[in-house]
Amino acid sequence: QVQLVESGGGSVQAGGSLRLTCTASRGMRERDCMGWFRQALGKEREVVGVTDNDGRLTYASAVKGRFTISNDNSKNILYLQMNNLTPEDSAMYYCVSASGLACKARLWRGDATNWGQGTQVTVSS
């Protein structure tokens, strides 16, 4: 079990930026994958992006080109840099992880082993 703790959420105006941080209880290992999901009020949860330990990233079309996932394994941290935010990006953002075979594909469809508690992002117009 890996504990995940998100931080960095807050309120920002449209066009602004935020960087979310996910601190894990251990660093990524060879067969680990991590990512970000979000859920807006009254809407279904959706994937933001996922990465494997080789740094292969996949982003949802709604955020591609605006959001960037990176990790600092020396600090057990996964980042989500969000630029050019719009009100449609307002949601609770969750850090997720999974391990083993096809973990990236499993994470993409929401089959995560570990979830953080979430951090709220609110974008005003």
Side-chain angles (χ1 to χ4, degrees), residues 21-107:
T21 297
C22 171
T23 303
S25 55
R26 63 163 175 78
M28 287 184 73
R29 296 173 182 169
E30 184 177 345
R31 299 183 71 188
D32 287 347
C33 298
M34 294 185 73
W36 292 91
F37 272 73
R38 67 185 182 183
Q39 187 166 22
L41 198 61
K43 295 187 177 180
E44 290 193 358
R45 182 183 63 197
E46 61 177 359
V47 65
V48 174
V50 296
T51 183
D52 62 17
N53 193 46
D54 290 325
R56 290 177 289 221
L57 294 152
T58 305
Y59 295 99
S61 57
V63 306
K64 201 169 184 179
R66 300 187 299 122
F67 289 14
T68 303
I69 292 173
S70 62
N71 75 298
D72 183 344
N73 224 29
S74 68
K75 298 179 182 178
N76 302 347
I77 290 176
L78 186 75
Y79 297 104
L80 179 64
Q81 177 66 45
M82 305 184 293
N83 297 327
N84 195 20
L85 286 160
T86 73
E88 289 69 37
D89 296 315
S90 296
M92 185 73 81
Y93 283 72
Y94 298 93
C95 181
V96 295
S97 72
S99 298
L101 189 64
C103 60
K104 198 165 167 233
R106 287 190 284 115
L107 273 188

Side-chain angles (χ1 to χ4, degrees), residues 104-123:
K104 198 165 167 233
R106 287 190 284 115
L107 273 188
W108 187 262
R109 59 177 185 261
D111 183 17
T113 305
N114 306 293
W115 290 79
Q117 84 289 349
T119 186
Q120 179 68 39
V121 172
T122 303
V123 185

